[in-house]
Amino acid sequence: MAKPSKENSPITEHLAYLLAQANREINRQLELRLSKEGVPVEQWRILKVLSDDEGHSMGELADAVLLNHPTLTKMIDRMVSDTLVYRVQDPGDRRKVLMFISDRGKVLCKKLNSLAVDQEEHILESYGDKSTSELKRLLESLIDSSN
Amino acid sequence: MAKPSKENSPITEHLAYLLAQANREINRQLELRLSKEGVPVEQWRILKVLSDDEGHSMGELADAVLLNHPTLTKMIDRMVSDTLVYRVQDPGDRRKVLMFISDRGKVLCKKLNSLAVDQEEHILESYGDKSTSELKRLLESLIDSSN
DNA sequence: CTTCAATTCTTGAATATTCAATATTTTCAA
DNA sequence: TTGAAAATATTGAATATTCAAGAATTGAAG
C-alpha cells in the first residue's frame, strides 16, 4: 500500500490556499458594497485608521493598512487631491510625515463604516455568530504565532 | 452612557481585515520559500492543478488558481515560454484551450511541493495541529456559505 | 438553414504596483 | 563636533494587473 504523502494533496487543502480563497471572496463582497461610494477597500482602511485624529506616519499607516510604502504614497496622493486626508510634517522628527483625516474624510468614513457593518451582519447571518467569533479568534492567534 | 456601536470598532476587529492580514503573512512566508526556485505562488498553484494530467480549460484554471482571465493568459504565456506547460485546442469545443503540464513542469512541481510542505509543517509546529485543522474547517465552511 | 446571442479566450490600452535609487533628516560612535 | 550609518518618505522606470473590446466558435430560436 502506498505511503500517504502530503506532497500530492490537492491545492484546496493547503492553508495558504484556503486563506487566499476566503480573503478573495470576503474582499470581493466588501468591495461591492464600498463601490457604492466609489472607494477602494484600502482607502476605507486608511480613513478608519486615521479616524483617531492622532496623526500617523506613513510607515505606521503602511503597516496598518497592509500596503507597501510606495503604493501607499501614491494612494495618499490621490486622497489628498480628493481632500479626504492631509499631510503635516512631524515637528518632532522631520523625516516623518503625519497623516490626518479631513472633515470631508470623516463624513465619507461614516458612510463607509455603515456599509461595512452591513457586510459583517450579512456574514453573521449566513455563517453564524459562533463560527464567526471562533474564526476571528483563530486568525488572530495565527497572526500572533507568525511574528 | 453611550450606546455601543459597531461602527467605530477598530479595523483590526473586522473579519475582512483579519483575513487579509493572515493571508498576507502566510503568503509572504510561502513566497519566500518558493523564491528558492524563482517561482511565484500562482505558478505553483497552476502546476499543482495541472498535475492530474486531465487537461483544464483556461476558465476552469482561472477559477481554481484565483486569477482573472487576462492575468492568467499572460502568466500562462510566460510558463509556455519556460516550457512548463502547453496549450492544446479542445477537440470537443474549439473555443476552449486545454492546458497540460510538461515533464519539466512536473519536475519543478515536485520540488515546489516539498517547499510548500516545509511551510505547512512549520505552521503546524508554531501554531499547533488542533488550531490548524480547526481553522481549515472554519475557512472551508465560510467559503461554502458565501456561495 | 440562418442569424443572433452566449461562451471562451486573447489583446491592447489604461491603471496600479513594485523595485531600486534618491533625498532628507536623525542617530550615534569616534 | 563630525562623519558614517540608519531611518523615513518619495520618485521614476520596469513590471503586472485590469478593463473594455475583439475574434472565434457554439447554441438555439425562428
Side-chain angles (χ1 to χ4, degrees), chain B residues 85-102:
Chain B
V85 300
Y86 57 94
R87 293 176 160 99
V88 176
Q89 195 176 54
D90 184 337
D93 182 342
R94 287 181 316 187
R95 289 170 301 183
K96 295 186 184 172
V97 171
L98 296 181
M99 297 304 312
F100 291 91
I101 186 171
S102 71

Side-chain angles (χ1 to χ4, degrees), chain B:
Chain B
M1 152 170 145
K3 180 173 58 139
S5 161
K6 266 196 173 174
E7 302 219 357
N8 40 24
S9 68
I11 186 91
T12 50
E13 284 176 16
H14 284 263
L15 180 57
Y17 181 82
L18 290 171
L19 278 170
Q21 200 181 358
N23 179 51
R24 188 182 160 88
E25 180 57 26
I26 297 300
N27 209 57
R28 199 189 56 75
Q29 288 174 18
L30 182 55
E31 225 162 40
L32 198 66
R33 313 223 174 201
L34 299 190
S35 71
K36 200 183 148 197
E37 296 290 337
V39 176
V41 175
E42 290 79 11
Q43 290 198 14
W44 171 58
R45 290 200 197 122
I46 291 170
L47 292 173
K48 205 154 174 52
V49 170
L50 297 186
S51 285
D52 65 4
D53 281 316
E54 307 254 316
H56 294 266
S57 75
M58 292 296 280
E60 271 174 32
L61 201 50
D63 284 351
V65 305
L66 315 175
L67 288 177
N68 298 341
H69 285 218
T71 307
L72 178 64
T73 293
K74 285 156 192 171
M75 184 161 286
I76 289 287
D77 286 347
R78 288 190 285 269
M79 294 175 78
V80 169
S81 296
D82 296 341
T83 68
L84 296 171
V85 300
Y86 57 94
R87 293 176 160 99
V88 176
Q89 195 176 54
D90 184 337
D93 182 342
R94 287 181 316 187
R95 289 170 301 183
K96 295 186 184 172
V97 171
L98 296 181
M99 297 304 312
F100 291 91
I101 186 171
S102 71
D103 290 344
R104 219 169 101 64
K106 284 180 192 172
V107 171
L108 177 58
C109 190
K110 270 213 173 119
K111 290 188 219 160
L112 298 174
N113 285 343
S114 87
L115 294 173
V117 167
D118 272 1
Q119 191 211 11
E120 296 254 322
E121 276 165 6
H122 176 259
I123 292 171
L124 283 180
E125 261 177 46
S126 63
Y127 184 54
D129 238 63
K130 195 102 192 302
S131 294
T132 304
S133 60
E134 180 64 3
L135 177 56
K136 283 187 184 180
R137 197 185 62 74
L138 282 167
L139 287 171
E140 277 167 6
S141 126
L142 174 65
I143 293 159
D144 263 13
S145 83
S146 300
N147 300 327

